[in-house]
Amino acid sequence: MTSQVSSPTEQADGAVLGEQRGAAGTKDVRRLERVIIRFAGDSGDGMQLTGDRFTSETASFGNDLSTLPNFPAEIRAPAGTLPGVSSFQLHFADHDILTPGDAPNVLVAMNPAALKANIGDLPRGAEIIVNTDEFTKRAMQKVGYAASPLEDGSLDGYQLHPVPLTTLTVEALKEFDLSRKEAERSKNMFALGLLSWMYHRPTEGTEKFLRTKFAKKPDIAAANIAAFRAGWNFGETTEDFAVSYEVAPAAQAFPVGTYRNISGNLALAYGLVAASRQADLPLYLGSYPITPASDILHELSKHKNFGVRTFQAEDEIAGIGAALGAAFGGALAVTTTSGPGVALKSETIGLAVSLELPLLVVDIQRGGPSTGLPTKTEQADLLQAMYGRNGEAPVPVVAPRTPADCFHAALEAARIALAYRTPVFLLSDGYLANGSEPWRIPELDELPDLRVRFATGPNHTLADGTEVFWPYKRDARTLARPWAIPGTPGLEHRIGGIEKQDGTGNISYDPANHDFMVRTRQAKVDGIDVPDIEVDDPDRARTLVLGWGSTYGPITAAVRRLRTAGEAIAQAHLRHLNPFPKNLGTVLERYDKVVIPEMNLGQLATLVRAKYLVDAHSYNQVNGMPFKAEQLATALKEAIDG
């Protein structure tokens, strides 16, 4: 197996490798290292579908890629307004990349609102493809354009391609028995065809997808395919697009294996299924739909053939209550939610701590507080996961770093829950959940063995020689209590929310027993076996940047930029946030400065300062968007020099 090959830097602009002159009558083809494309339009313009299809074809072509879907919380936001703009950004390259990119090289703007909402992110010289049909006087006034930006010179610094997408789509579909409104809906497929021509993307997969998606409406499928082909042909024949581009497959970026494009939520769902198979336990999901976690419920409901049972509950409390009941019954139990749902589940999580049953609490973090920003990302639930329950109720916390890593993080969370008989928090976020990247499908022998032993008979002998079952008699190494399936003869035991007596599990109000049980539950979590944190420090730097969760991509991209510029900086990233890796304190002591970037107001930094008495410096952002690599590189350079 070959090792992962990393690029030395992530730049905002695509680097031109060469230009290939076409034969007489054909167009030039330029080779690029990387491209960042953003599709933007109204929520009803199909930008997410367009981006998904371009991403799928790019993945099948063999490029490395990273995506950033960005859409309003409303099901159908007000058309033509700035708050109603939906976008999808895709960064793809011929080498290993880590982020969706800082600034698009190409913007496809379906209306004036899409142009105005995104123009500030474009570097000078970027290409802009605009749907001129939507640039009516009223549409432009709605977003504050006094004059047409296509004509007033404000876009002179860009490569502007005015294309009447709506008109061309309607014309391409005139042979179909469709109303004009129905035909206009296919303009996103026309745009997809045009971009597919520009960047030499495969087309067969998209046509197959459309036939499948509209299998019950073959006329609609044929119309969308016709619009897609018309967009391709327009790029091939129009004089406005004199150049197309090639981005070679990332042949050296990946270890040998079979790959597919995968989003974080899909990877997490697959990880849960894999964990249940490796544990030889049925998987039970008790959940209430909530953005951005609902996709996990949707996906797992498709896999009854793997012994998966999903329950869409009437509310968050019922969802986790059912899941905890399934854990009592011997299932690998999961509940999925986002931050507001965690608040509602808190008492039952505390009950799971007291009952000492394995339960996975999957929190796909979003902007808060309260309902907050349902479709935007944040990392602000860490302290809630750590302490958001009454009493002393310690819970292990695991966080994935990339969309594909959600698969492995799910397996790790299941390992801890099953081995130590405890609820476990799995902290993903909206950026990972909706973003996607290539994922190497693991071989079965690479997956951990998660099988557990259920209690089958008495485990304690009383003074009079009677053999009994004690539900809180612990494993000496893990401090885990036995897991007894209800209905097993001789293993009857009490269960409930009141404090347990050590060993017997009887209700106990004894102060000394309560003190012992609280300290024992804490010791169990503190003693969980987690790997040491690894430090990437080739130059013996004085400054360490420490991250967790989805900041991995932007931090690593920023570190690469700094090292390419000759700066020495070390990097470490936490997967286990409770307990911390045992060597973390020793690692932190080696550096003069520790910088912790987070999409919150400094929650990990607070924990690190409290536990290790290290003067960690926070760099924080809570605007609902992931960090940009250039932004982090600037902040880290200031930390190095300061």
Side-chain angles (χ1 to χ4, degrees):
M1 181 178 293
T2 59
S3 61
Q4 183 88 8
V5 179
S6 300
S7 71
T9 182
E10 286 209 355
Q11 303 168 355
D13 298 324
V16 178
L17 294 180
E19 184 170 324
Q20 178 179 337
R21 304 295 295 185
T26 63
K27 298 186 177 184
D28 295 336
V29 178
R30 294 178 184 172
R31 295 196 305 273
L32 304 176
E33 287 183 341
R34 68 176 74 239
V35 176
I36 303 168
I37 298 175
R38 183 181 297 175
F39 299 92
D42 272 336
S43 294
D45 284 338
M47 295 297 92
Q48 303 305 318
L49 175 62
T50 305
D52 282 339
R53 289 315 313 159
F54 196 94
T55 298
S56 294
E57 299 301 342
T58 296
S60 69
F61 187 73
N63 296 118
D64 195 10
L65 61 89
S66 180
T67 67
L68 178 62
N70 186 19
F71 43 87
E74 291 80 9
I75 294 174
R76 184 65 172 94
T81 64
L82 293 176
V85 173
S86 175
S87 67
F88 188 105
Q89 183 163 307
L90 166 69
H91 183 189
F92 61 103
D94 64 3
H95 55 268
D96 172 45
I97 59 174
L98 298 158
T99 75
D102 287 359
N105 309 117
V106 182
L107 171 66
V108 180
M110 303 298 280
N111 60 20
L115 177 64
K116 188 161 190 178
N118 292 282
I119 190 67
D121 291 338
L122 269 64
R124 290 291 173 172
E127 294 191 75
I128 304 175
I129 301 171
V130 295
N131 180 13
T132 56
D133 289 325
E134 295 296 323
F135 278 72
T136 63
K137 184 176 180 180
R138 181 179 180 184
M140 289 186 290
Q141 288 178 341
K142 188 181 289 188
V143 295
Y145 280 128
S148 173
L150 309 183
E151 301 171 355
D152 64 5
S154 61
L155 300 179
D156 288 349
Y158 305 95
Q159 300 180 56
L160 181 64
H161 301 282
V163 180
L165 286 172
T166 306
T167 299
L168 290 171
T169 302
V170 172
E171 179 67 19
L173 302 184
K174 63 183 180 181
E175 65 183 79
F176 294 88
D177 186 21
L178 300 173
S179 68
R180 180 179 177 87
K181 186 175 182 180
E182 289 173 329
E184 287 179 358
R185 290 174 181 164
S186 296
K187 63 182 180 289
N188 64 323
M189 288 297 105
F190 189 101
L192 178 59
L194 173 57
L195 269 292
S196 297
W197 170 82
M198 283 183 65
Y199 292 97
H200 296 254
R201 299 296 91 184
T203 60
E204 295 82 3
T206 292
E207 294 192 9
K208 181 179 179 181
F209 167 82
L210 291 171
R211 291 190 187 97
T212 303
K213 180 176 178 63
F214 299 108
K216 296 182 179 180
K217 298 179 179 179
D219 291 345
I220 299 298
N224 277 283
I225 292 171
F228 176 67
R229 291 175 177 174
W232 176 283
N233 293 333
F234 177 78
E236 183 70 27
T237 57
T238 183
E239 294 294 326
D240 193 40
F241 292 90
V243 177
S244 64
Y245 304 92
E246 286 185 350
V247 180
Q252 303 300 318
F254 306 115
V256 174
T258 302
Y259 286 80
R260 59 157 294 170
N261 184 53
I262 201 165
S263 69
N265 273 352
L266 183 57
L268 204 154
Y270 285 176
L272 294 173
V273 174
S276 75
R277 294 299 82 207
Q278 292 303 107
D280 196 21
L281 297 174
L283 179 64
Y284 184 93
L285 174 67
S287 182
Y288 179 75
I290 184 172
T291 302
S294 299
D295 288 342
I296 303 171
L297 170 61
H298 301 159
E299 181 61 32
L300 288 178
S301 67
K302 303 174 184 177
H303 297 293
K304 296 181 177 65
N305 56 313
F306 288 114
V308 179
R309 181 173 295 177
T310 54
F311 169 53
Q312 181 174 319
E314 65 269 28
D315 56 40
E316 295 282 4
I317 299 172
I320 190 173
L324 185 58
F328 179 60
L332 176 59
V334 185
T335 189
T336 54
T337 190
S338 188
V342 173
L344 293 167
K345 295 177 188 292
S346 61
E347 183 183 7
T348 307
I349 297 171
L351 177 59
V353 171
S354 177
L355 298 183
E356 300 186 48
L357 286 170
L359 174 68
L360 301 187
V361 181
V362 178
D363 177 7
I364 313 297
Q365 300 167 95
R366 73 190 205 191
S370 189
T371 303
L373 304 171
T375 61
K376 308 302 179 183
T377 194
E378 206 163 273
Q379 285 184 300
D381 294 351
L382 176 56
L383 293 183
Q384 180 178 218
M386 288 286 292
Y387 303 119
R389 294 162 296 283
N390 61 296
E392 296 287 347
V395 173
V397 181
V398 176
R401 60 177 61 183
T402 69
D405 188 49
C406 290
F407 176 86
H408 302 286
L411 285 165
E412 175 64 2
R415 176 191 73 85
I416 293 172
L418 295 171
Y420 294 89
R421 310 287 196 269
T422 178
V424 177
F425 260 98
L426 180 55
L427 289 183
S428 179
D429 61 43
Y431 171 38
L432 296 184
N434 296 317
S436 62
E437 66 176 350
W439 170 59
R440 186 181 71 83
I441 301 172
E443 301 294 334
L444 286 177
D445 59 7
E446 297 173 3
L447 301 179
D449 183 353
L450 301 180
R451 287 174 294 181
V452 298
R453 291 184 178 180
F454 290 107
T456 57
N459 61 0
H460 185 75
T461 303
L462 299 177
D464 63 2
T466 304
E467 292 187 340
V468 297
F469 174 68
W470 275 14
Y472 283 85
K473 187 167 186 176
R474 302 180 183 279
D475 180 276
R477 182 181 66 85
T478 65
L479 298 182
R481 76 173 187 87
W483 195 1
I485 300 296
T488 305
L491 302 189
E492 297 85 1
H493 58 282
R494 291 181 175 87
I495 206 77
I498 303 298
E499 180 64 280
K500 317 292 184 295
Q501 185 182 58
D502 179 44
T504 68
N506 295 335
I507 293 173
S508 173
Y509 297 99
D510 177 58
N513 179 78
H514 176 61
D515 183 274
F516 178 81
M517 294 296 282
V518 167
R519 294 180 185 276
T520 300
R521 290 189 288 259
Q522 183 66 59
K524 180 172 68 171
V525 173
D526 291 342
I528 291 173
D529 182 23
V530 303
D532 283 349
I533 190 169
E534 297 180 357
V535 183
D536 176 18
D537 185 8
D539 303 312
R540 296 187 178 181
R542 297 173 55 197
T543 300
L544 171 72
V545 54
L546 178 67
W548 70 278
S550 66
T551 57
Y552 173 77
I555 288 174
T556 306
V559 166
R560 288 180 181 178
R561 292 186 183 209
L562 290 172
R563 289 177 181 170
T564 299
E567 300 289 343
I569 187 167
Q571 177 187 0
H573 208 79
L574 286 165
R575 164 170 283 181
H576 297 89
L577 296 151
N578 192 34
F580 285 134
K582 291 181 173 56
N583 69 328
L584 179 58
T586 303
V587 167
L588 296 174
E589 290 175 355
R590 297 207 304 256
Y591 295 93
D592 297 339
K593 296 179 183 176
V594 177
V595 182
I596 304 179
E598 297 180 80
M599 292 187 293
N600 56 49
L601 294 182
Q603 297 187 14
L604 174 61
T606 297
L607 296 174
V608 167
R609 291 186 189 116
K611 184 172 181 64
Y612 300 106
L613 303 181
V614 170
D615 185 21
H617 300 270
S618 284
Y619 183 75
N620 308 116
Q621 172 177 296
V622 281
N623 61 6
M625 297 294 288
F627 285 111
K628 293 183 177 180
E630 184 63 32
Q631 165 195 3
L632 275 182
T634 301
L636 295 176
K637 179 66 166 63
E638 291 174 356
I640 293 171
D641 295 340

